[in-house]
Amino acid sequence: SFLVSDVGGVSAAMAKVSKKKPGHQAMMDFLTIGIDMMTSEATRELLKDKEKIPHSGAKLIELQREAWGPLGYDAEIGCQALNEVDPKGQKELAAKKEEFMVTSMRAYIRAIHDRRPAKLERSKNIPRGVILEFFEACDTRMSLPETMEALLLHLVEKKSVPNQVIIGMQREMLEDFGWEADHGCQMLGRIPEDYPNDKQMVQYFQKWQQVAQQTCMKAIQQHQANGGEMPEGVQGQGPQIQKVDPELIPFVKKAKSEIENMTDKERQEFINDEQMKKKLQVFMNLPPESRMSYTKKLPDDQKVEFVKAQMIFQEVMIKHIQEQHGQEAVPNAMQAAKGGYAATPS
């Protein structure tokens, strides 16, 4: 993440700063200044210089934090205040914060692309630090709205799982870092041999794999919620996804919107409700062809709640499967990277 609070140790600007918590307007000013800075040509040109700025992401955060000083606030206190913004009670500020974070991610990905060397490496190993940053950069790109738009467009036009779109983005990112894609894939395939006991490397790889899988799954779910057909090749891969009946689409959209505003704790409590657990158990015991009709017979207010429970339950199951099998899957997935990426369903 590139929210300013994630990195410490950068001094505030040379101004008298207050130890008080910034209010609404001060935080809005900080976010606006940051967005303007990150979208400026001056910042873009600055981040292109690899010699002066080895790590564009760290520099970007440093530039963000410097805005607190002139506003008269301590950077640490300001960042903490932003972390505490309530999405429900401070909607305007939360929306601006979201814009700031998306702008941060775009500026970072743009900087990596701008720093792509004219000649790509085709023989050397990829340094450990570059591999780790590559994984992080891929995860960041998966979070961008334009990435989801590209996946949804593929689903509409090609009517197939958009894993090749994600793979293409990963390969492009590899070349932005300076490694020819096919050679880079071969180098990533050597990770088990080159870093056999590197826990951090395994963690970064697993996260990279999971983020790609989850992004692909989210695109398919959104496509269905928009009224699209289930793409070929999805059935039988992981938790089964059922096609959405057109009659239920409004309830799916409402459920998805409500889930986005729930915390992890609220989601867990929701599906742990005894009555909901019983309903889900009945639902899971039904044959696949009967599940849709069961849902459609519920009263409208219960449809939203039940669809919401199904969606949360599916998320929990996917996460559980990844936690249980992630370690075993890593060597095979890395081996598969020799011919391409194995980070998404195929």
Side-chain angles (χ1 to χ4, degrees):
S1 170
F2 290 91
L3 181 60
V4 288
S5 59
D6 290 338
V7 171
V10 181
S11 61
M14 296 301 292
K16 187 175 180 179
V17 297
S18 169
K19 292 296 182 181
K20 292 183 180 180
K21 181 178 177 179
H24 173 91
Q25 191 56 52
M27 287 190 281
M28 287 292 289
D29 290 344
F30 169 80
L31 295 171
T32 300
I33 291 169
I35 291 169
D36 290 344
M37 176 274 293
M38 289 183 286
T39 54
S40 71
E41 282 302 313
T43 298
R44 183 173 187 176
E45 288 301 314
L46 175 67
L47 296 178
K48 286 181 181 180
D49 194 333
K50 282 187 176 181
E51 292 188 7
K52 291 184 179 179
I53 303 171
H55 304 290
S56 56
K59 182 63 177 179
L60 193 58
I61 295 171
E62 178 184 335
L63 293 171
Q64 293 168 356
R65 291 175 63 92
E66 286 177 354
W68 282 116
L71 291 173
Y73 292 93
D74 175 77
E76 294 297 334
I77 295 174
C79 292
Q80 184 59 38
L82 282 174
N83 276 345
E84 296 170 358
V85 169
D86 178 11
K88 295 180 181 178
Q90 298 171 284
K91 292 184 178 180
E92 182 186 16
L93 194 53
K96 198 70 175 177
K97 175 182 170 183
E98 178 65 22
E99 181 186 355
F100 178 93
M101 294 180 70
V102 171
T103 303
S104 297
M105 292 187 287
R106 284 180 179 145
Y108 175 57
I109 297 300
R110 182 185 65 186
I112 292 173
H113 182 71
D114 286 345
R115 292 153 72 105
R116 177 191 281 216
K119 184 178 180 181
L120 298 177
E121 180 57 55
R122 297 173 182 271
S123 60
K124 294 181 181 178
N125 290 343
I126 307 177
R128 180 180 183 278
V130 174
I131 295 175
L132 294 178
E133 188 176 0
F134 162 76
F135 287 149
E136 285 190 323
C138 286
D139 294 346
T140 299
R141 187 167 180 180
M142 290 298 101
S143 300
L144 287 172
E146 47 266 40
T147 295
M148 184 57 62
E149 289 170 7
L151 301 183
L152 290 172
L153 181 63
H154 176 92
L155 282 160
V156 171
E157 293 183 347
K158 305 297 183 181
K159 295 179 172 56
S160 62
V161 177
N163 58 328
Q164 289 300 321
V165 178
I166 294 177
I167 290 170
M169 291 178 180
Q170 294 169 338
R171 290 173 65 87
E172 180 184 352
M173 187 66 68
L174 197 53
E175 296 202 342
D176 282 344
F177 277 95
W179 269 259
E180 188 274 329
D182 288 337
H183 171 66
C185 288
Q186 292 176 357
M187 294 301 98
L188 292 180
R190 288 178 49 86
I191 288 177
E193 303 166 33
D194 296 341
Y195 305 96
N197 301 310
D198 193 326
K199 292 183 179 179
Q200 185 182 27
M201 183 67 75
V202 171
Q203 289 171 352
Y204 272 57
F205 180 87
Q206 284 184 295
K207 183 184 176 188
W208 171 72
Q209 184 183 38
Q210 291 168 6
V211 168
Q213 290 173 338
Q214 290 165 357
T215 303
C216 191
M217 181 71 74
K218 185 177 179 181
I220 293 170
Q221 291 173 335
Q222 182 62 56
H223 177 65
Q224 284 188 279
N226 292 342
E229 290 292 320
M230 170 65 68
E232 294 182 5
V234 175
Q235 299 296 337
Q237 296 190 21
Q240 193 173 47
I241 305 173
Q242 301 297 322
K243 292 185 178 181
V244 178
D245 188 290
E247 184 182 324
L248 294 176
I249 288 175
F251 302 101
V252 172
K253 288 183 176 180
K254 183 171 174 56
K256 184 175 183 297
S257 176
E258 291 183 6
I259 289 172
E260 288 175 351
N261 291 318
M262 296 173 72
T263 64
D264 289 342
K265 183 180 179 182
E266 288 172 337
R267 296 182 188 190
Q268 197 66 46
E269 290 175 348
F270 184 80
I271 60 171
N272 282 337
D273 176 78
E274 286 302 320
Q275 289 188 339
M276 186 59 73
K277 285 169 71 173
K278 290 178 181 178
K279 288 182 179 179
L280 282 172
Q281 188 61 53
V282 171
F283 179 82
M284 295 303 292
N285 288 335
L286 292 172
E289 61 272 15
S290 301
R291 293 176 183 177
M292 194 66 69
S293 58
Y294 174 87
T295 307
K296 289 169 67 175
K297 289 177 182 177
L298 294 171
D300 285 357
D301 59 333
Q302 291 185 30
K303 281 190 180 79
V304 174
E305 296 299 289
F306 191 62
V307 169
K308 192 160 64 173
Q310 291 180 59
M311 295 172 75
I312 294 172
F313 181 74
Q314 186 178 62
E315 286 181 3
V316 172
M317 287 301 297
I318 291 172
K319 185 176 180 181
H320 176 71
I321 289 169
Q322 289 169 339
E323 289 174 349
Q324 291 295 313
H325 301 289
Q327 291 287 350
E328 297 173 8
V330 168
N332 290 334
M334 288 183 170
Q335 184 67 21
K338 291 183 178 181
Y341 290 98
T344 57
S346 58

